[in-house]
Amino acid sequence: MTFAMLRASFTSLNSVQQWGFGSVSPAHATQLMHANVQPHVLDMRMIESVNNSIRHLSPTEIRSKMKRRSLRRVSIKPSSGVANDMHSGSDWDKAEFVLEELRRQCDTPADLLYRLVEDMVEEMKAGLAKEGGSKDYKMILTYVDKLPSGKERGHFYALDLGGTNFRVLRVSFGQDGSTPVFQEVSIPQEIMLGQHEELFDYIAGKLAEFVSKEDSSYHPRPGCKRELGFTFSFPIKQTSIDSGELIKWTKGFAVEGTAGKDVVQALNEAMERRGLDMVVTALVNDTVGTLAVASLAASKADAGDEVMISVILGTGTNACYVESIDAIPKWKGPKPSSGNMIISMEWGGFSSSLLPRTQYDEALDAVSVNPGEQIFEKLLSGMYLGDIVRRVLLRLAEEAALFGPSVPPNLLIPCILGTPHVSCMHQDKSSDLQEVGRILSNVLGIHETSLELRKLVVEVCSIIAKRAARLAGAGIVGILRKIGRDRSKHDGSSSHRTVVAMDGGLYEHYPLFRAEMKAAVVELLGSEVAENVLIELSKDGSGIGAALLAAAHSKYSRYGW
Ligand code: ADP
Ligand code: MG
């Protein structure tokens, strides 16, 4: 069989290809031909994979899927007669092969996601059974067993140490219309990779700077201290509401000497060294703060919605949820009056072998500060998406000479392409993909790109973002399944709507990501159940939520919850 005949037989498969469930490029076809795969065999396999992917969908869902996929599908190869003057040496067949391989490896059909959901639920149960019971999820007991009442009063502070920056805030509760006061401080690289005391002294210094600007009305009463909620968004082993040891740094932090130490004690000591009249009263994870803020909003709205889950998609990613204390065998304390405890999963550690990983993910992991760890996080959080895209583009430059005869030097620089660049390129609505051109030129030093090339870059961004968003969606469905809220109400489960509170820069600033994630949740739950699951942005849990929790656990205020 000649290449031309193979190409013709693939053209006849066009209707299948348009669905986007699997297609074969001419370059890939050549490979298959060499591997002696007959087209009719291929044909059957593709149809089977289509069948598997749509088996669970209703006819309406299938139609809308067909429409969506066929709209999004782009041909990257310049049509004949369109000269690609800039990059005449480019091997478009090779590029198409690389892209096709990427599509295939990053594909997340519903049946795969269902299997991941099952794995997730098993790991959650194992992590709740005993300390270290799950290889993936820490399932951290947060010691938060009640959510806000709205009766909190007074001035409280929060310190949000989440990733790239940290923020200091003062929030005044009980005063209508009072707006929180913020200060954002970036963390120098040498501090992120430095010594334990340096980090906490640096933070205490910035806190001191913040309060030094306050007028006397904010000064604490004699005998009292300013109270601080400390949002520390790294895996900790919490031992009470105001103590917890760092298990390990993530998200590019590698401060020496902190692992195994109580971070509250470290901050309190640094504040004392500095002569600052401030004390940590609540150590919270940003997910827990988000849950607290969303819960307060829901109780004020009084619509009976129950905030059960919160997810952060920012530099890193994590989720927490409200678990029944009876489902936590490792809890040895007294039963809380609410009967519940918030569990911080540390879901970034999920590492099922079913996760759709590629050579780019493996290479990224190998050079990360924590190789072999946080595998789920590395597939979907803001810290990594940009660099995965860069790695794909680098391969296209090296093997398909897509950006000219030599590899653009900037493409070799790790992390030069950020997730905000990816979202900006992916969401470029201009007909000539101006933003894509601008970012390729300004960030990667690739100038005067053709429209075909820009389309290809958009396609890479779209594949990587879609995989990430769908995995996040599967994570949410995993929690819903664990707490029995993935079913319709006929089985006696709660009749309230379940709220999933979302926060983080990736979720907030990337509408296409949000849409893909929500679509995956609907696809996995079915539309009837999904109608009772509200996925909502709940901003500033890591700040205001922490201050709320500090108020709730105040040592000096008579108001609590
Ligand atoms: P952190 O996780 O550090 O506490 P954020 O929640 O603000 O902070 O998230 C910041 C992260 O969000 C950045 O590291 C970046 O990856 C991602 N991000 C910021 N802006 C955008 C954007 N426009 N599009 C996509 N991702 C973004
Ligand atoms: Mg944060």
Side-chain angles (χ1 to χ4, degrees):
M1 176 177 284
T2 64
F3 179 72
M5 284 163 74
L6 251 180
R7 197 190 266 268
S9 68
F10 287 118
T11 316
S12 72
L13 287 174
N14 253 352
S15 58
V16 176
Q17 289 182 12
Q18 274 182 3
W19 292 45
F21 293 110
S23 62
V24 179
S25 69
H28 189 191
T30 317
Q31 279 214 337
L32 291 165
M33 185 175 69
H34 290 314
N36 244 345
V37 179
Q38 296 304 308
H40 68 277
V41 176
L42 202 64
D43 194 341
M44 288 313 293
R45 276 198 210 151
M46 286 166 62
I47 289 165
E48 196 177 281
S49 101
V50 170
N51 283 340
N52 280 338
S53 311
I54 61 172
R55 171 160 43 88
H56 58 284
L57 299 177
S58 70
T60 327
E61 285 168 318
I62 293 171
R63 269 194 298 278
S64 86
K65 208 173 179 81
M66 265 180 77
K67 205 164 154 198
R68 273 205 329 262
R69 302 247 181 171
S70 59
L71 280 177
R72 236 176 318 148
R73 196 83 175 166
V74 292
S75 166
I76 60 156
K77 203 167 171 175
S79 50
S80 56
V82 178
N84 191 6
D85 300 336
M86 280 306 299
H87 311 300
S88 49
S90 304
D91 180 348
W92 283 91
D93 279 349
K94 179 70 194 183
E96 208 163 313
F97 169 76
V98 170
L99 205 59
E100 189 49 46
E101 182 191 67
L102 185 72
R103 273 192 208 109
R104 194 165 24 82
Q105 291 174 341
C106 293
D107 196 20
T108 49
D111 54 348
L112 172 65
L113 296 184
Y114 280 130
R115 283 189 289 149
L116 286 170
V117 164
E118 275 165 28
D119 268 15
M120 287 167 179
V121 173
E122 286 314 307
E123 290 298 332
M124 290 171 82
K125 286 182 185 161
L128 292 173
K130 59 173 190 205
E131 219 49 75
S134 160
K135 66 178 177 11
D136 291 350
Y137 295 145
K138 299 267 179 295
M139 303 304 279
I140 294 164
L141 301 163
T142 62
Y143 291 79
V144 176
D145 53 25
K146 284 184 223 124
L147 288 162
S149 64
K151 290 192 184 139
E152 296 74 19
R153 299 284 182 276
H155 307 302
F156 291 89
Y157 297 79
L159 169 69
D160 175 12
L161 182 63
T164 341
N165 297 318
F166 75 82
R167 291 181 315 153
V168 183
L169 314 70
R170 184 186 61 237
V171 192
S172 301
F173 296 113
Q175 297 175 4
D176 281 348
S178 76
T179 39
V181 178
F182 290 88
Q183 184 184 326
E184 187 151 312
V185 186
S186 66
I187 307 173
Q189 186 78 6
E190 65 268 21
I191 296 280
M192 286 170 75
L193 304 174
Q195 299 295 315
H196 177 67
E197 278 198 2
E198 280 168 12
L199 170 69
F200 288 95
D201 282 339
Y202 182 78
I203 295 171
K206 294 296 171 184
L207 284 168
E209 226 172 73
F210 182 82
V211 300
S212 71
K213 294 181 202 137
E214 292 183 335
D215 67 50
S216 57
S217 63
Y218 294 105
H219 291 183
R221 289 192 309 272
C224 299
K225 286 186 169 187
R226 291 173 166 93
E227 293 182 283
L228 179 77
F230 183 12
T231 304
F232 187 75
S233 308
F234 300 91
I236 44 170
K237 180 175 179 343
Q238 195 139 2
T239 38
S240 74
I241 187 67
D242 61 357
S243 63
E245 289 167 8
L246 174 73
I247 298 171
K248 60 173 182 185
W249 287 111
T250 55
K251 296 184 271 187
F253 272 70
V255 177
E256 212 173 297
T258 310
K261 293 226 176 83
D262 183 345
V263 291
V264 171
Q265 196 187 340
L267 182 58
N268 280 337
E269 284 172 4
M271 292 193 294
E272 259 172 46
R273 279 199 292 278
R274 187 78 205 198
L276 188 59
D277 58 352
M278 199 179 251
V279 65
V280 178
T281 51
L283 173 64
V284 296
N285 191 278
D286 51 358
T287 53
V288 181
T290 300
L291 199 76
V293 166
S295 200
L296 185 62
S299 70
K300 283 189 178 157
D302 207 19
D305 295 338
E306 292 176 329
V307 186
M308 299 299 289
I309 300 173
S310 93
V311 176
I312 304 290
L313 288 161
T315 306
T317 184
N318 186 24
C320 78
Y321 74 103
V322 181
E323 181 60 278
S324 158
I325 203 82
D326 298 329
I328 315 175
K330 72 178 177 183
W331 172 250
K332 302 295 179 221
K335 188 168 175 162
S337 58
S338 65
N340 297 319
M341 165 132 342
I342 298 175
I343 297 290
S344 169
M345 291 175 62
E346 289 304 332
W347 84 355
F350 185 59
S351 69
S352 166
S353 58
L354 294 172
L355 284 169
R357 294 179 78 213
T358 64
Q359 62 183 92
Y360 316 104
D361 304 300
E362 280 163 17
L364 180 149
D365 177 47
V367 297
S368 68
V369 294
N370 50 355
E373 293 174 12
Q374 300 294 106
I375 297 299
F376 192 63
E377 180 165 88
K378 285 171 183 161
L379 289 171
L380 58 98
S381 80
M383 176 154 179
Y384 305 103
L385 297 186
D387 208 50
I388 303 172
V389 169
R390 177 190 70 86
R391 285 167 187 278
V392 179
L393 298 182
L394 178 60
R395 180 162 172 221
L396 286 165
E398 285 171 346
E399 293 183 21
L402 212 66
F403 306 109
S406 58
V407 173
N410 284 8
L411 263 183
L412 295 162
I413 302 173
C415 303
I416 192 169
L417 198 67
T419 301
H421 296 130
V422 171
S423 82
C424 190
M425 294 195 288
H426 187 185
Q427 297 175 129
D428 187 349
K429 292 197 175 73
S430 62
S431 57
D432 55 349
L433 298 175
Q434 251 173 48
E435 278 303 298
V436 180
R438 190 184 60 79
I439 289 171
L440 288 177
S441 171
N442 294 355
V443 180
L444 297 177
I446 302 168
H447 309 293
E448 297 184 45
T449 42
S450 69
L451 185 56
E452 282 75 16
L453 201 60
R454 294 178 189 187
K455 279 185 187 168
L456 180 147
V457 172
V458 172
E459 173 79 348
V460 173
C461 296
S462 153
I463 294 168
I464 299 304
K466 181 174 176 177
R467 175 183 67 163
R470 288 176 65 80
L471 289 174
I476 291 172
V477 174
I479 304 174
L480 289 168
R481 178 164 300 176
K482 174 70 186 69
I483 58 176
R485 292 190 179 229
D486 64 328
R487 284 154 243 160
S488 65
K489 290 172 195 158
H490 315 301
D491 62 357
S493 59
S494 170
S495 60
H496 299 292
R497 292 192 300 180
T498 306
V499 178
V500 182
M502 305 291 306
D503 199 6
L506 172 63
Y507 184 81
E508 187 185 352
H509 302 300
Y510 200 162
L512 278 181
F513 183 99
R514 287 203 296 268
E516 284 288 5
M517 192 194 87
K518 288 184 179 179
V521 171
V522 175
E523 191 179 332
L524 296 178
L525 292 179
S527 44
E528 192 194 338
V529 176
E531 260 172 34
N532 291 303
V533 175
L534 305 180
I535 300 179
E536 289 180 344
L537 180 68
S538 169
K539 273 177 64 80
D540 229 7
S542 55
I544 296 170
L548 254 177
L549 287 152
H553 296 89
S554 168
K555 294 183 187 356
Y556 307 114
S557 164
R558 57 201 170 86
Y559 298 98
W561 57 33

